[in-house]
Amino acid sequence: MKMASFRLALVLATLLLLRAGIFVDQALAETTYFPIPSASTTRNDGNDAGLIVPILVTDPDGELKYLHAPMLIHNSYLGVRGTYNMFKYDPGGRQTRFQASITERIERKLVFNYLDPAMADGRLMFTVGAAFFKNATSRFFGISQQTKEEDETNYTAREIRANWKLGVYLNEVTQLALSQRYREVQIQPGGARGVPQLLDTSLSSTAGVDGASILGSRITFHYDTRDNLTSPTVGTQITAYAELNNNFSNSERPIYGRYEVDIKKMFPSESKKMILVVRGNLQMTQGFEVPFYEKSSLGGQNNMRGYGVDRFIDDNLVVFNIEQRIHVLRTRVANVMAEFEIAPFVDIGKVFNTFNVRQFRDYEVTPGIGFRALVRPGTVGRIDYGYSEEGGAVYAGLDYPF
């Protein structure tokens, strides 16, 4: 199977063990750990095999305060990878995340994120983050939806990122936010064997291959009536933003804009055992010589699940997702109530450079099915398989795709 990704052990075991905190005698212990084997295979990233050891630290009431997750993984392309993850949970929904990773060949990663969703007595939301990483298995096929599978190239994306966001709650369901992001990119030789290197092909003349230093300023409108942020069953979510960017690496045409509207609507049955989820997403990029990694991208676990990440890239994107979430079982597992769903879906989308022609043609269609395990209200584990003309892809994660 092409571009398949299997993280079953991590998703399902972490879902039940981490959130529920089993193996913790709350009257006697505050710390526990348990090993979880991890195996994955992807067309882009190669084969992984190794061990994850989540370590839980709870308060006297048994509430999870820290999650430490060291990992030791062997990757078929890049060698041995050591990773340390830390999540800190505070009252009021505040969360802190730190990740550090080093791989035998090429890849490095440092990530920090802090979120306070109810600052100033619930009137404000604030988040800040920074990251440095080198992704040695990135792929680029060229610009437009007419690119072919044999156009695939590999590169390493060396990036430095920083961001902040401050949101003001206008009422219980509406938020207006201001944010900025900084992104510095260098394109370097990749680490995937047997794949042409981007820097050695004709695609090396594409805007952005020579690097970029980008400062973006964004205003975002949020409207959200869902009954839960993680595992909702009813409601509507609308997000729209406008962003102005300055590429300091391009002295002639540094300014470009990015815009997005994302709408999700849930239609539950009376018993909520069947929930139809419909989503529409429109992205637009306006400007000249925009780096290819700043344009709209089709493919991946959140919009077109039959293709790999960044399979199609162009100025604009439109995607429609239709997913029927069907409740199949609710049972007690290790002292917690777990729910299980199947979710047949179809993803329909395209990228394009103008709105003037063929708006009702050339759509990619990827049907598929998802399997989900939930511990409400705060945890979702999923496995999604989508089929495309190029084979298919399997994605796993600890959230819904949208």
Side-chain angles (χ1 to χ4, degrees), residues 381-398:
R382 67 180 171 99
I383 301 164
D384 289 342
Y385 168 73
Y387 175 79
S388 72
E389 293 181 348
E390 296 180 359
V394 177
Y395 293 100
L398 292 173

Side-chain angles (χ1 to χ4, degrees), residues 338-366:
E339 299 181 26
F340 298 89
E341 296 177 344
I342 60 172
F345 63 81
V346 60
D347 301 329
I348 305 167
K350 64 182 290 187
V351 295
F352 52 98
N353 61 5
T354 176
F355 284 87
N356 295 331
V357 296
R358 299 194 302 187
Q359 287 309 304
F360 299 100
R361 296 175 55 189
D362 300 331
Y363 279 84
E364 299 291 336
V365 179
T366 61

Side-chain angles (χ1 to χ4, degrees), residues 218-232:
R218 177 183 297 188
I219 182 169
T220 305
F221 170 82
H222 295 282
Y223 173 82
D224 196 345
T225 64
R226 295 175 301 164
D227 57 345
N228 184 273
L229 298 180
T230 304
S231 56

